[in-house]
Amino acid sequence: MIGLVIYLIGGVSPQFKPTIEWLILFRLVLGAGGGILMPISESLIYDYYEEKERT
């Protein structure tokens, strides 16, 4: 849930800040949220599916 909240903040917040510095900062936050979510989704696939279903 923390990764999803970080991803949400990084994705929505740039709409409210007019400068490029803020946009870059929130894109970094978005990348951090994505970096948290991706390994979790891959581990869920590994846990719930068998060999042929994983591919």
Side-chain angles (χ1 to χ4, degrees):
M1 290 302 288
I2 293 171
L4 191 59
V5 169
I6 292 172
Y7 194 79
L8 179 70
I9 290 169
V12 174
S13 297
Q15 295 178 359
F16 305 109
K17 298 295 181 181
T19 63
I20 191 71
E21 291 84 9
W22 282 105
L23 294 176
I24 293 171
L25 175 70
F26 285 123
R27 291 302 169 209
L28 288 171
V29 171
L30 184 73
I36 293 171
L37 290 177
M38 287 305 217
I40 292 173
S41 64
E42 291 175 8
S43 69
L44 288 175
I45 291 170
Y46 182 77
D47 288 342
Y48 290 113
Y49 295 104
E50 298 297 324
E51 291 292 323
K52 291 184 179 181
E53 293 175 332
R54 281 186 208 158
T55 58

